[in-house]
Amino acid sequence: MKYHTWGDYAINSFLMLLAVITVLPFYNVFITSFADPAAIVKQQFYLLPTSFSLVSYKLLLNGGYVGKALANSVIITVAGTLVNMLVTACGAYALSKKTMPGRSAMMAGIVFTMLFGGGLIPYYLTIKSLHLINSYSVMILPVAVNTFFLIILINHFRSIPPSWKSRQKWTERTTSSSCSASYCRFRSRRWRRSRCFTRYPAGTNGISRCCS
């Protein structure tokens, strides 16, 4: 049989106290949302529910705030994800090429921005100068490129075997060659038929002999 020491009781009590402190604000918000505003004003800390009212939820639903908030969340999430993936993937693919001019300077600048930040005031001044305040762009464009994800994608593109790239180039070259040959044959056959109709009158056997 395992005996509990005073240290075990102290640790359990401390963890229970932390759990109560964590849950208490959520409990307070929940019971306050169903309380009468007058009862909330009378009590400094509304711990035990003394009234029930749905006035807060009526104001919330009638004002249209929930619909606007959901629409903003969907627009920012979808557009931000698409822009972030597009810009990050394109930038990572270009920077993964060792033959790209200025690649070392760009990578140094990217790593520098990852380690050091300008702060809140320069960030706000930049957003204000670009006229992005009070628009969806302020939630999408400043975070269009994530430095950490960019470096991960760069390493991913570098890990692709060269045989895959050469195989892809060979497939593209073969496809373009076959398409060009088919187009040339089609053009040649069409030109030959047009000459047949020009040389021989309608209803003669020369057309069949020439176009066969």
Side-chain angles (χ1 to χ4, degrees):
M1 182 177 180
K2 183 178 178 180
Y3 295 95
H4 295 282
T5 61
W6 288 104
D8 295 333
Y9 289 114
I11 293 174
N12 293 334
S13 302
F14 179 72
L15 293 178
M16 291 178 63
L17 180 62
L18 287 180
V20 171
I21 294 175
T22 304
V23 175
L24 189 59
F26 296 97
Y27 168 76
N28 188 20
V29 171
F30 178 76
I31 63 174
T32 303
S33 63
F34 291 100
D36 189 6
I40 299 174
V41 173
K42 292 180 181 179
Q43 300 182 18
Q44 186 175 1
F45 187 76
Y46 196 77
L47 185 60
L48 297 177
T50 58
S51 62
F52 180 80
S53 176
L54 298 176
V55 177
S56 301
Y57 288 95
K58 290 181 180 179
L59 293 175
L60 182 64
L61 296 177
N62 293 334
Y65 301 109
V66 177
K68 292 180 181 178
L70 291 176
N72 292 336
S73 300
V74 172
I75 292 173
I76 293 172
T77 301
V78 174
T81 302
L82 293 177
V83 172
N84 186 281
M85 289 298 298
L86 178 63
V87 176
T88 304
C90 292
Y93 181 78
L95 292 173
S96 64
K97 303 298 181 181
K98 296 183 178 180
T99 57
M100 179 182 177
R103 172 181 164 276
S104 300
M106 292 182 185
M107 287 299 301
I110 291 172
V111 174
F112 181 83
T113 59
M114 186 177 180
L115 299 177
F116 304 98
L120 183 60
I121 296 177
Y123 176 79
Y124 172 77
L125 294 177
T126 303
I127 296 300
K128 185 177 180 181
S129 62
L130 295 175
H131 305 287
L132 298 178
I133 298 178
N134 295 330
S135 65
Y136 289 114
S137 301
V138 74
M139 302 295 294
I140 298 174
L141 295 181
V143 292
V145 178
N146 188 293
T147 309
F148 181 73
F149 294 153
L150 180 67
I151 295 175
I152 291 178
L153 277 178
I154 290 174
N155 295 327
H156 170 70
F157 287 129
R158 288 179 182 174
S159 64
I160 297 177
S163 58
W164 291 11
K165 298 179 183 179
S166 60
R167 186 181 305 172
Q168 182 180 5
K169 291 181 180 179
W170 180 82
T171 304
E172 292 176 356
R173 192 181 301 111
T174 306
T175 304
S176 60
S177 300
S178 61
C179 291
S180 301
S182 301
Y183 178 74
C184 291
R185 287 195 298 269
F186 171 76
R187 293 283 297 178
S188 177
R189 190 180 299 110
R190 186 177 181 183
W191 177 79
R192 187 172 58 185
R193 289 183 179 179
S194 63
R195 286 195 60 188
C196 291
F197 282 105
T198 304
R199 179 181 299 178
Y200 298 98
T204 61
N205 295 327
I207 299 178
S208 60
R209 290 197 304 271
C210 181
C211 297
S212 59

